[in-house]
Amino acid sequence: MTVTVSASGLTLRYGGTRALDDVSLSLRAGVTGLLGPNGAGKTTLLRVLATAVPADGGSFTVLGHAPGSAAGRQNLRRTLGYLPQNPGFHPDFSAFEFVDYVAILKEQTDRTARHREVRRVLDAVDLSDVRGRRLKRLSGGMRQRVALAAALVGEPGFLVLDEPTVGLDPEQRVRFRELIAQAGEGRTVLLSTHQTEDVAMLCHRVIVLACGRVRFEGTPAELTARADGRVWSSAARDPGARAGWRTGAGTFRNVGDPPKGAELLDPTLEDGYLLTLDDPDGAAPAQQGEAAA
Amino acid sequence: MSTTTMPPAPEVTRPPADGDRPWAAVLALARFEARELLLNIPVLVLLVLYLGYTAYGLVAAEQDGMTDYPVLQNADRASQTAPQLVALAVLLCVNHAVLRSRRHGTDRHFGVLPLQPWRRTLAHALSAVPLAGLVAVVVGAEFAWAASKPGAVGHGSLFELVVAPLSVLLAGVVGVLLARLIGSAFAAPLFVVGLYVLLAVFSIATSGSDPHWLRWLSPVVPESGGDPLPSGLLGRPAAWHALYLVGLTVALLCGAVTASGRRTRTVAVVTAAALAATAAGIAGQSPGDSRDLAAARETASASPETVESCTVRGSVTYCAFPEWSGRTADWAAVVERVQHLAGDRRDRLTVRQRVEARYGLTSDAALTALSGPGQVTVGTAWGGNRIPEFAVGVASVLVAGDEQAASAVCDARAVTITWLALAAQADPMSAFVHVRLDDRTEGSGLVLAPTDPLGMSAGETAMVRALLAKPREVVSAAVRAHWAELTSPKTSLARVAQLLDVKAPEKEDSRDACEA
């Protein structure tokens, strides 16, 4: 599959802190999950890729457009759909007006075509019935869907979603998963999230970022596989485990290096993620495998 | 480095077709913002207030007949003040709209959208264009309405007419610039209040006589108050002022564009051109009245006969400034009605149009009474109260011989003059109320005339009121029959009562200024 977004050696400092430290990645069509703890640099990476902030070093291209020149940045922005972490809203605008406004800022100039497109994306996020309602009268979940519609308007080739499901109830999260899955058909989506379930269910690729560095890049299955043979059950919390918690069944689920004879459990993507964060050398087997290939 | 491989070359895609049309996007955004602006409550309220005020002005003025005879060189600039309500709303609401993204936290999101901030700045400025256009239409309609009146005289100026819409555009640009320079919603209201306070303080400090150059820095300089002047005597640098407003608007817009991050050679060149136009406008409008203008005003004020053209109708010669030559028929109608009531007298009269232009447009200096026999003054304003006032002037000269003599008449002559003037009106009692300075028909008071007012005692007033209650032709016949006595300074009020068959006053009036 063709690489649509590629970054090489991206570096960004905030004062003395390295928010991004030599980040390289390549994305293809479909949904790529971006996992990482708070402060890992996920939002910073997305803001750099969305051209909201320039990187101190390194380079990247989106669909062949590099942001180095004003013209390149403009062309890149024309291919971009961006849903920031805390998108603001104009409370007195209706859902239709807000998305229409964003469509204009995306240089959609033909009024008839633009309005058709706005109706299409509002329909896609299931907000057709409330498109005339002012944003201040919509629920948080509905407003988040309006923001997604605004990101989708104009059929951008690269969609950047920064924790879009934060604050949503389970039903809304499921609805959002559907929308993101649809959005990922035929376009490149980079989805930053804390929800490993979202990544497991939506993403064909996953990137783990920690302390501004890429700690893993591969498929969700490869990330899960990192925990093969490293999850076990015990009657009490194993002091040698890197993480352990009591399950609903009353036994403890431990993650780490199991003792001999331990009752091994099937790992989840979350287990692989936890172990990747704890991996002191930051080795990324999937990448190494890719390099070998 | 986190990875060891270089990604393969990405696929290059063309941006969307619409992306090639940023200027079309500017216009689309301007349309969007213009609609938002028009639906803004302050804009709607002040727009309705402006339209209501304009409509009320037309209707209310219609009722007193003043707008039946508009002077177009006054009508053009009369349309400049009221639209400042709209300009105020535009300044505040455009500023509010520019700050919308910052206020609601969408600036981070919208910052990565393709339409650049400087183009958005332009779009916000352009959003004021429809309101400026609406003001232009209202101003144009107001002026066209005035110009279409059969009694319209004079010449309007396109440069005066464009001031109101230009000031609306300027207000919009100021709102945009303030938002780009100061990201606070309080900046624009504070700017408006600060400007008002500054102007008020300056006006107090200069006792309202601020220098000409400074006064013309204001977007609108209405200069109203005095009687209309011939258009050649206005001395208003309207074209320079329009250039100043255009230059200032474009210069401030360039400032806003620059503040939005657009610092190109083109912007620099346009800014320089706009500043040059502004400077040229200021230079052109600053010098004040020229010597030639002062001389022309002196001539028109002191010896109008040198610049007027005259026409003769019967025994009366009517002399008017060239722009008023079409109004002599209206004057003649009044003169003929008064002459008829006075027994179809055919005294030789000269109706001379006069104006006091030496003190400028805002001066309401009174015209001095003429001493020449048969000379009647008529002003440049007409309609409403000006008609019975002129009738008083005509009757005064018919009765007393000249205006100066008429200013000190009493008893029989005061009653005769006032009755002749009022009986010539369609509604004499209403005219009596309005032609009196105190708007009363009882007691002593002053009766207005084009030059000096005529003093009336309480007895004279009562007698005129009684005469106006009698049939006009009956009184007219008596006036005709007793003209010599009624126009004699020696005839008492008691005698007048006898002659005109009305009740005599119970006691004689004591008048200081009554002639012997």
Side-chain angles (χ1 to χ4, degrees), chain A residues 2-4 6-9 21-22 24-26 47 50-52 61 63-65 74-75 77-80 82 84 88-91 93 97-98 100-102 104-110 114 150 213-214 217 287 290-291, chain B residues 1-26 28-29 31-33 35-36 39 97 100-101 104-106 108-117 119-120 124:
Chain A
T2 312
V3 171
T4 52
S6 69
S8 175
D21 186 4
D22 201 15
S24 297
L25 51 85
S26 56
R47 283 169 54 73
T51 71
T61 61
L63 297 165
H65 304 295
Q74 278 300 99
N75 285 334
R77 287 174 171 175
R78 286 173 182 141
T79 66
L80 186 71
Y82 178 41
F89 296 96
H90 298 168
F93 279 18
E97 286 171 336
F98 185 76
D100 189 36
Y101 192 77
V102 172
I104 291 170
L105 296 184
K106 286 186 174 183
E107 300 177 339
Q108 304 281 310
T109 56
D110 183 287
R114 188 177 74 238
R213 296 175 68 88
V214 174
E217 185 177 358
Q287 287 174 326
E290 189 179 76
Chain B
M1 209 168 143
S2 302
T3 58
T4 55
T5 56
M6 283 301 291
E11 181 185 354
V12 177
T13 60
R14 275 183 54 74
D18 275 351
D20 296 332
R21 297 192 306 227
W23 286 111
V26 169
L29 183 60
R31 273 197 298 273
F32 187 100
E33 291 291 358
R35 195 192 64 208
E36 288 296 312
L39 296 176
R100 190 194 298 123
S101 269
H104 297 301
T106 54
R108 178 178 284 194
H109 177 194
F110 291 174
V112 302
L113 298 177
L115 195 66
Q116 298 115 312
R119 292 189 196 272
R120 298 179 204 181
H124 278 291

Side-chain angles (χ1 to χ4, degrees), chain B residues 58-406:
Chain B
L58 290 175
V59 172
E62 284 297 343
Q63 287 173 349
D64 71 8
M66 291 298 283
T67 53
D68 284 342
Y69 304 92
V71 178
L72 298 182
Q73 56 263 37
N74 274 27
D76 54 9
R77 71 178 188 276
S79 63
Q80 292 176 359
T81 307
Q84 299 318 302
L85 285 173
V86 181
L88 175 67
V90 164
L91 191 157
L92 296 176
C93 292
V94 167
N95 180 268
H96 201 248
V98 177
L99 293 173
R100 190 194 298 123
S101 269
R102 176 188 286 258
R103 202 167 52 249
H104 297 301
T106 54
D107 43 357
R108 178 178 284 194
H109 177 194
F110 291 174
V112 302
L113 298 177
L115 195 66
Q116 298 115 312
W118 70 271
R119 292 189 196 272
R120 298 179 204 181
T121 294
L122 274 181
H124 278 291
L126 289 174
S127 71
V129 169
L131 273 170
L134 180 62
V135 167
V137 167
V138 173
V139 165
E142 238 182 315
F143 184 77
W145 178 253
S148 68
K149 299 275 173 106
V153 296
H155 302 89
S157 162
L158 182 63
F159 296 116
E160 296 282 9
L161 292 173
V162 298
V163 164
L166 279 177
S167 65
V168 172
L169 278 182
L170 175 63
V173 169
V174 169
V176 173
L177 179 63
L178 281 174
R180 289 302 184 212
L181 294 178
I182 308 167
S184 165
F186 296 106
L190 283 176
F191 172 80
V192 171
V193 171
L195 194 64
Y196 179 80
V197 169
L198 192 71
L199 291 175
V201 167
F202 193 82
S203 180
I204 291 167
T206 59
S207 306
S209 58
D210 44 335
H212 182 275
W213 68 268
L214 190 63
R215 189 164 68 247
W216 279 86
L217 290 181
S218 168
V220 169
V221 189
E223 291 193 309
S224 57
D227 278 340
L229 299 187
S231 52
L233 303 183
L234 292 179
R236 281 177 63 85
W240 288 115
H241 190 62
L243 178 66
Y244 158 71
L245 286 179
V246 170
L248 186 61
T249 302
V250 176
L252 294 182
L253 181 58
C254 288
V257 166
T258 305
S260 305
R262 185 71 169 173
R263 296 179 179 87
T264 63
R265 182 184 294 271
T266 306
V267 174
V269 168
V270 175
T271 305
L275 287 174
T278 309
I282 291 173
Q285 70 188 12
S286 291
D289 300 339
S290 65
R291 283 187 180 179
D292 287 348
L293 178 67
R297 284 179 173 175
E298 175 69 32
T299 302
S301 305
S303 43
E305 64 278 3
T306 58
V307 290
E308 287 181 342
S309 55
C310 300
T311 55
V312 179
R313 288 171 178 256
S315 61
V316 184
T317 301
Y318 298 91
C319 297
F321 292 112
E323 289 170 310
W324 276 263
S325 58
R327 194 163 281 170
T328 52
D330 299 311
W331 302 336
V334 173
V335 171
E336 284 162 13
R337 284 201 300 273
V338 174
Q339 283 178 322
H340 172 71
L341 291 170
D344 289 320
R345 298 190 64 80
R346 288 291 174 261
D347 305 45
R348 296 201 71 80
L349 298 177
T350 298
V351 173
R352 168 82 57 205
Q353 188 174 36
R354 295 170 62 208
V355 69
E356 180 50 83
R358 284 170 286 203
Y359 310 109
L361 292 166
T362 54
S363 165
D364 56 357
L367 295 167
T368 54
L370 295 171
S371 57
Q375 299 265 342
V376 183
T377 295
V378 65
T380 50
W382 190 249
N385 217 35
R386 299 294 93 80
I387 296 173
E389 286 172 22
F390 175 61
V392 170
V394 174
S396 297
V397 174
L398 280 180
V399 170
D402 65 75
E403 288 180 346
Q404 274 189 2

Side-chain angles (χ1 to χ4, degrees), chain A residues 7-141:
Chain A
S8 175
L10 290 179
T11 306
L12 182 62
R13 279 179 175 277
Y14 286 129
T17 307
R18 278 181 178 244
L20 294 179
D21 186 4
D22 201 15
V23 171
S24 297
L25 51 85
S26 56
L27 307 179
R28 296 170 175 79
V31 183
T32 299
L34 182 61
L35 284 172
N38 287 333
K42 300 191 300 296
T43 294
T44 303
L45 175 60
L46 297 193
R47 283 169 54 73
V48 168
L49 293 177
T51 71
V53 287
D56 293 337
S59 62
F60 71 98
T61 61
V62 174
L63 297 165
H65 304 295
S69 65
R73 191 159 52 249
Q74 278 300 99
N75 285 334
L76 191 158
R77 287 174 171 175
R78 286 173 182 141
T79 66
L80 186 71
Y82 178 41
L83 172 57
Q85 192 170 6
N86 297 305
F89 296 96
H90 298 168
D92 290 325
F93 279 18
S94 68
F96 186 93
E97 286 171 336
F98 185 76
V99 179
D100 189 36
Y101 192 77
V102 172
I104 291 170
L105 296 184
K106 286 186 174 183
E107 300 177 339
Q108 304 281 310
T109 56
D110 183 287
R111 192 167 181 269
T112 307
R114 188 177 74 238
H115 284 185
R116 193 167 51 239
E117 170 69 358
V118 172
R119 280 192 291 272
R120 183 188 71 77
V121 293
L122 284 172
D123 194 36
V125 299
D126 202 16
L127 287 177
S128 300
D129 294 344
V130 296
R131 68 182 179 213
R133 197 180 294 175
R134 290 189 176 195
L135 293 177
K136 64 185 174 189
R137 302 200 186 288
L138 298 183
S139 68

Side-chain angles (χ1 to χ4, degrees), chain A residues 20-282:
Chain A
L20 294 179
D21 186 4
D22 201 15
V23 171
S24 297
L25 51 85
S26 56
L27 307 179
R28 296 170 175 79
V31 183
T32 299
L34 182 61
L35 284 172
N38 287 333
K42 300 191 300 296
T43 294
T44 303
L45 175 60
L46 297 193
R47 283 169 54 73
V48 168
L49 293 177
T51 71
V53 287
D56 293 337
S59 62
F60 71 98
T61 61
V62 174
L63 297 165
H65 304 295
S69 65
R73 191 159 52 249
Q74 278 300 99
N75 285 334
L76 191 158
R77 287 174 171 175
R78 286 173 182 141
T79 66
L80 186 71
Y82 178 41
L83 172 57
Q85 192 170 6
N86 297 305
F89 296 96
H90 298 168
D92 290 325
F93 279 18
S94 68
F96 186 93
E97 286 171 336
F98 185 76
V99 179
D100 189 36
Y101 192 77
V102 172
I104 291 170
L105 296 184
K106 286 186 174 183
E107 300 177 339
Q108 304 281 310
T109 56
D110 183 287
R111 192 167 181 269
T112 307
R114 188 177 74 238
H115 284 185
R116 193 167 51 239
E117 170 69 358
V118 172
R119 280 192 291 272
R120 183 188 71 77
V121 293
L122 284 172
D123 194 36
V125 299
D126 202 16
L127 287 177
S128 300
D129 294 344
V130 296
R131 68 182 179 213
R133 197 180 294 175
R134 290 189 176 195
L135 293 177
K136 64 185 174 189
R137 302 200 186 288
L138 298 183
S139 68
M142 284 177 164
R143 281 203 289 239
Q144 196 70 349
R145 277 190 272 159
V146 172
L148 180 60
L152 286 170
V153 77
E155 299 206 56
F158 179 38
L159 194 58
V160 176
L161 307 177
D162 194 355
E163 300 192 24
T165 57
V166 167
L168 300 185
D169 63 34
E171 189 185 341
Q172 288 172 332
R173 276 179 51 204
V174 169
R175 177 74 187 121
F176 239 81
R177 273 185 206 149
E178 288 177 36
L179 296 173
I180 294 168
Q182 285 169 15
E185 290 170 9
R187 69 160 65 85
T188 304
V189 179
L190 182 56
L191 168 69
S192 166
T193 181
H194 283 297
Q195 309 289 337
T196 51
E197 299 160 57
D198 289 346
V199 174
M201 293 186 185
L202 282 171
C203 302
H204 76 296
R205 300 280 294 173
V206 61
I207 295 169
V208 177
L209 203 64
C211 298
R213 296 175 68 88
V214 174
R215 304 288 283 271
F216 175 86
E217 185 177 358
T219 65
E222 286 166 342
L223 183 58
T224 305
R226 300 193 91 192
D228 278 347
R230 299 181 73 184
V231 184
W232 70 99
S233 174
S234 61
R237 190 185 189 284
D238 192 323
R242 292 188 186 176
W245 59 93
R246 188 192 292 275
T247 65
T251 57
F252 277 78
R253 182 184 177 90
N254 303 287
V255 180
D257 296 319
K260 271 192 174 177
E263 183 190 344
L264 295 177
L265 299 175
D266 287 339
T268 62
L269 186 134
E270 188 174 53
D271 299 327
Y273 167 61
L274 286 173
L275 286 169
T276 300
L277 291 182
D278 278 352
D279 195 343
D281 61 5

